Amino acid sequence: MQCPNCNGKDIGKIGSQQFYCWNCFIEMSVTGDELTVHQVEADGSLSSLNDLFTDDERKLKW
């Protein structure tokens, strides 16, 4: 898997179908063959970053 934000491969699994990029600190969830991308806020809540990426950029790249 490759991070759509930094193109890094330092991805950790944090749950079932949930991943975390240790390079740019974003959380990703897998739905089908597409990623849902979130930023973790200081209070622990998640803010969607999907609008920053095209559908093609959010396709899984194994």
Side-chain angles (χ1 to χ4, degrees):
M1 177 184 279
Q2 195 170 0
C3 177
N5 187 50
C6 69
N7 291 320
K9 293 186 178 183
D10 194 13
I11 307 290
K13 187 169 185 171
I14 58 173
S16 176
Q17 303 299 317
Q18 292 181 307
F19 302 89
Y20 187 79
C21 179
W22 290 100
N23 290 327
C24 63
F25 313 112
I26 63 170
E27 188 173 310
M28 298 163 279
S29 300
V30 176
T31 306
D33 65 345
E34 192 170 273
L35 291 173
T36 302
V37 186
H38 293 94
Q39 176 178 323
V40 181
E41 300 295 341
D43 66 357
S45 64
L46 298 176
S47 297
S48 177
L49 298 176
N50 287 342
D51 59 336
L52 300 177
F53 302 99
T54 65
D55 290 340
D56 189 50
E57 289 174 322
R58 292 191 304 124
K59 293 287 181 194
L60 283 180
K61 297 173 185 167
W62 295 100

